[in-house]
Amino acid sequence: MTVHPSLQPAIDAWTHSIEAINELVRPLAESEWNRATECPGWSVRDVVSHVIGVECEMLGEPRPMHTLPRDLYHVTDEFSRYIEVQVDVRRCHTALEMTSELEYTIIRRSRQLRNETRSPQAPVRWPLGSGNEQTLERALTIRAFDVWTHEQDLRRALGKPGNLDSPGAALTRDFLLLALPKVVAMDAGAPAGSAVVFDVHGPLEFLRTVRIDAQGRGAIDSSVSLGPTATLALDWETYARLACGRVRPEAVADRVKVEGERGLAAAILREFAVTP
């Protein structure tokens, strides 16, 4: 048996994004590895280190034995402390060491994924400090989402935009949209009977409506809503940056057009980030 068909889209998206990262960073000068990204406290080197580190854990490698410095202001809880170990241990690595390890990690993970024969529902060890298992299908989806998101972090830091309509972008859109009903209904407190439209344009265009039922539960669909309570129109890159916590709403206010109940729209934007 080969890779299960339901796993292939996530594997393809992951492959496309991680190879794009490899192409982005291979020609970088030593100084460019130190450029800041939108991830607090992380440089280009740190983002690539994080990608390498998580993929190594997915390969089953033991975590580095490493003590973090006490002055890392962006390390605020156990989750960020867990994540930071794989990053900090590589902060002294040269550009050549980084690109060599990245390429070697991609080769090994690609081989592992090509030879994957488990069921999509098979439980797998999940890194990132949760101590929980995930299904194989969800684990691969999260990895594809994470790698595409970090590809975009690197592109913005390096001034090399692209792949906003790639397989990883489409997977990320679907992944983020799953969280939208909760954001609108529970986090932002949209009232029963309301409807909020998200009109997203750019390389990846889509229109979604979140409807709140009489019990206050949210549901999402792609149909047009007549007379919605609020409409938010924005470009896809801004949507992804907001949903992934890369930027605060006030910093991109000029890129978000709001119609209808502005108070509700503001509450939704305040709660829009669904990833740490």
Side-chain angles (χ1 to χ4, degrees):
M1 181 179 176
T2 56
V3 172
H4 193 282
S6 69
L7 301 179
Q8 198 63 54
I11 293 173
D12 291 345
W14 175 89
T15 301
H16 189 276
S17 295
I18 205 162
E19 289 182 351
I21 288 176
N22 192 35
E23 291 175 9
L24 274 172
V25 302
R26 191 188 301 124
L28 295 183
E30 199 74 49
S31 60
E32 292 177 292
W33 286 85
N34 298 321
R35 287 194 187 181
T37 72
E38 288 182 339
C39 299
W42 280 8
S43 64
V44 167
R45 175 185 282 99
D46 297 336
V47 168
V48 177
S49 295
H50 167 67
V51 170
I52 292 171
V54 178
E55 297 304 335
C56 285
E57 292 192 37
M58 296 298 289
L59 282 161
E61 292 188 359
R63 283 171 52 77
M65 298 295 291
H66 181 72
T67 301
L68 293 176
R70 295 180 178 273
D71 60 348
L72 298 175
Y73 72 90
H74 56 283
V75 176
T76 57
D77 53 26
E78 284 306 307
F79 177 79
S80 57
R81 183 169 295 278
Y82 185 99
I83 291 292
E84 195 71 19
V85 168
Q86 293 276 16
V87 173
D88 192 66
V89 77
R90 293 176 172 84
R91 285 202 164 105
C92 59
H93 288 195
T94 65
L96 179 58
E97 288 172 324
M98 293 296 298
T99 54
S100 297
E101 187 179 16
L102 177 61
E103 289 179 5
Y104 184 48
T105 302
I106 292 172
I107 290 169
R108 291 185 299 145
R109 271 288 275 158
S110 297
R111 183 185 302 121
Q112 181 189 49
L113 293 171
R114 280 197 306 273
N115 295 331
E116 185 58 73
T117 59
R118 291 173 291 180
S119 159
Q121 299 309 308
V124 297
R125 171 182 172 268
W126 184 241
L128 309 184
S130 65
N132 298 320
E133 291 183 331
Q134 297 275 5
T135 66
L136 177 61
E137 186 170 21
R138 179 159 176 81
L140 294 181
T141 298
I142 293 173
R143 288 310 309 134
F145 157 72
D146 190 58
V147 172
W148 180 83
T149 300
H150 287 309
E151 177 199 340
Q152 294 303 312
D153 291 331
L154 295 170
R155 287 187 178 281
R156 286 191 293 273
L158 297 168
K160 296 180 179 179
N163 283 350
L164 285 166
D165 58 352
S166 68
L171 180 145
T172 295
R173 174 201 58 202
D174 296 342
F175 184 83
L176 294 174
L177 285 173
L178 290 174
L180 202 52
K182 177 181 179 294
V183 168
V184 175
M186 296 180 61
D187 301 335
S194 60
V196 180
V197 172
F198 296 84
D199 185 0
V200 180
H201 55 272
L204 211 57
E205 294 187 348
F206 55 94
L207 186 142
R208 296 292 187 276
T209 302
V210 176
R211 305 176 195 277
I212 313 301
D213 66 16
Q215 288 72 45
R217 295 185 296 257
I220 188 169
D221 61 56
S222 57
S223 62
V224 176
S225 176
L226 298 177
T229 312
T231 299
L232 292 85
L234 66 165
D235 66 274
W236 161 234
E237 184 177 19
T238 300
Y239 185 104
R241 290 172 73 200
L242 285 166
C244 296
R246 296 312 195 253
V247 65
R248 297 294 302 162
E250 52 270 21
V252 291
D254 60 327
R255 304 188 71 169
V256 182
K257 181 182 178 182
V258 173
E259 295 180 357
E261 292 287 342
R262 304 191 72 85
L264 175 58
I268 291 169
L269 290 171
R270 281 197 303 271
E271 302 295 337
F272 211 68
V274 296
T275 66

